[in-house]
């Protein structure tokens, strides 16, 4: 059991502009939204904060712009106890931003403008190689250039470091490169994009994940919301149960799952146990609005985990 695992996230940081609305304007039309929240987001940053809240030592390798959001993002990492010494400010570029729209059922629609995230290049990974070599796990997503993601996966493989790839936002990828990751964790739509087949239910998720494993991907965990999570490898498939809640805002729930899973697994939990715990941690994040600001503390998680039947 590793009491405090070290997780390094190589990924994105955005500022989330979340509007709560049930209607969307047509071209040329102005309408009113219900409510607005400004918060820190970005899939990479969210996963880093979730892992930190669960108890890991966390470092972030990222780029922000030389604007108000960039400085505030670095300050947010620091105040949350995430090591931001490898978060670089990129002159002349905006920080990543994400206008997000949440409807009354808690479902979200997200538009990401990558800004400085798109300037995180393999040279930045080399510059952080001393830090990366010390990591128990490296966590990656797709809001940075793909060449950087693939480069980091190869680096980690060479150095025997566990990697967790969240293929989000969903897009077709080079599976030969993806096969370098220890874990690939998509949701249904990301699994569809990766596997090139529809994923509308648990059976299709199983078929898609099995297809990816047959094409060389090592372990696939498909997060399925109210259906829990499905873990597929060459050893077979296993569905882990959900933690049922009435969601208010599901934005960032996938990030809560991945950050907490990385921490629980590197902390010594068995794979299935780490997945079940991450299901609970992610569900708790849907009970309040926002992304990082909806993530709960380790104490809150333990209280709920301990009350389960
Ligand atoms: O997964 C949720 C995140 O996606 C948001 O925080 C937004 O910034 C986008 O990256």
């Amino acid at each position: 059991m590793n009491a405090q695992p070290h997780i390094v996230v190589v990924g994105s940081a955005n500022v989330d502009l979340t509007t709560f609305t049930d209607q969307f304007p047509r071209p040329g039309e102005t309408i009113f939204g219900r409510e607005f929240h400004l918060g820190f987001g970005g899939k990479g940053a969210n996963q880093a904060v979730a892992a930190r809240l669960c108890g890991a030592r966390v470092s972030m390798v990222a780029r922000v712009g030389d604007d108000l959001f960039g400085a505030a993002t670095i300050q947010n990492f620091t105040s949350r106890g995430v090591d931001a010494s490898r978060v670089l400010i990129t002159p002349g570029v905006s920080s990543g931003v994400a206008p997000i729209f949440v409807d009354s059922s808690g479902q979200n629609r997200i538009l990401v403008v990558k800004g400085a995230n798109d300037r995180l290049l393999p040279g930045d990974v080399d510059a952080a190689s001393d830090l990366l070599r010390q990591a128990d796990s490296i966590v990656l997503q797709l809001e940075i250039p793909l060449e950087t993601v693939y480069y980091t996966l190869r680096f980690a493989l060479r150095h025997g470091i566990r990697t967790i790839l969240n293929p989000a936002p969903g897009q077709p990828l080079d599976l030969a490169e993806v096969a370098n990751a220890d874990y690939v964790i998509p949701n249904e739509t990301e699994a569809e994009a990766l596997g090139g087949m529809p994923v509308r239910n648990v059976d299709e998720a199983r078929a898609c994940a099995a297809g990816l494993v047959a094409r060389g991907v090592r372990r696939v965990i498909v997060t399925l919301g109210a259906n829990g999570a499905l873990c597929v490898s060459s050893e077979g498939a296993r569905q882990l149960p959900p933690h049922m809640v009435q969601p208010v805002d599901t934005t960032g729930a996938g990030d809560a799952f991945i950050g907490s899973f990385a921490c629980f697994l590197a902390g010594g939990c068995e794979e299935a146990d780490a997945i079940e715990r991450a299901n609970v941690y992610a569900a708790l994040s849907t009970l309040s609005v926002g992304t990082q600001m909806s993530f709960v503390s380790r104490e809150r998680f333990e209280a709920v985990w301990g009350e389960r039947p």
Side-chain angles (χ1 to χ4, degrees):
M1 188 71 143
N2 185 348
Q4 192 182 34
H6 183 199
I7 311 283
V8 180
V9 177
V10 178
S12 58
N14 296 332
V15 166
D16 290 348
L17 308 141
T18 305
T19 301
F20 293 80
T21 183
D22 290 323
Q23 298 172 46
F24 295 90
R26 290 169 299 179
E29 188 187 25
T30 302
I31 61 169
F32 293 115
R34 245 183 305 122
E35 208 180 314
F36 175 77
H37 282 273
L38 184 68
F40 295 100
K43 295 181 193 302
N46 295 344
Q47 292 167 21
V49 167
R52 176 73 194 125
L53 283 166
C54 288
R57 182 181 146 217
V58 181
S59 304
M60 187 80 203
V61 178
R63 277 191 179 267
V64 294
D66 63 346
D67 50 16
L68 286 176
F69 289 163
T73 296
I74 291 175
Q75 168 59 29
N76 177 57
F77 282 133
T78 306
S79 68
R80 286 182 169 275
V82 173
D83 165 31
S85 59
R86 313 304 169 100
V87 179
L88 303 170
I89 295 178
T90 313
V93 189
S94 77
S95 293
V97 292
I100 299 175
F101 303 93
V102 182
D103 66 23
S104 52
S105 73
Q107 275 304 330
N108 61 70
R109 296 168 172 81
I110 305 179
L111 186 74
V112 172
V113 181
K114 290 199 276 180
N117 294 307
D118 227 12
R119 305 291 180 95
L120 191 73
L121 297 175
D124 298 321
V125 176
D126 286 338
S129 62
D130 56 327
L131 180 79
L132 288 162
R133 272 198 295 264
Q134 295 165 26
D136 294 303
S137 298
I138 298 175
V139 180
L140 296 134
Q141 327 70 34
L142 305 181
E143 290 179 330
I144 58 172
L146 280 185
E147 63 169 318
T148 309
V149 173
Y150 295 158
Y151 187 84
T152 310
L153 290 174
R154 280 185 246 125
F155 172 95
L157 188 66
R158 275 201 309 282
H159 291 91
I161 305 161
R162 175 190 288 143
T163 44
I164 296 172
L165 172 64
N166 171 217
Q171 53 195 279
L173 297 176
D174 180 345
L175 288 187
E177 301 278 1
V178 171
N180 291 329
D182 292 284
Y183 285 90
V184 177
I185 310 185
N187 64 16
E188 292 107 315
T189 53
E190 293 148 8
E192 276 193 14
L194 195 58
M197 58 186 286
V199 178
R200 292 162 300 202
N201 52 47
V202 179
D203 287 339
E204 288 181 353
R206 190 178 292 111
C208 179
L212 289 168
V213 169
R215 290 154 75 191
V217 179
R218 289 192 244 166
R219 303 185 92 72
V220 181
I221 300 174
V222 187
T223 55
L224 298 165
N227 287 312
L230 188 69
C231 180
V232 181
S233 70
S234 56
E235 293 138 38
R238 184 163 181 192
Q239 188 176 357
L240 286 310
H243 179 68
M244 293 308 284
V245 292
Q246 196 62 50
V248 174
D249 176 6
T250 58
T251 317
D255 300 330
F257 179 96
I258 286 158
S260 62
F261 173 73
C263 177
F264 295 134
L265 191 70
C269 292
E270 298 270 327
E271 181 183 85
D273 186 33
I275 295 172
E276 278 203 59
R277 284 168 187 260
N279 274 344
V280 172
Y281 190 83
L284 294 177
S285 80
T286 69
L287 295 177
S288 59
V289 299
T291 44
Q292 291 173 29
M293 60 188 161
S294 69
F295 295 173
V296 301
S297 66
R298 178 76 183 234
E299 291 69 32
R300 172 82 188 116
F301 162 77
E302 291 294 350
V304 175
W305 179 253
E307 281 164 13
R308 294 170 82 240

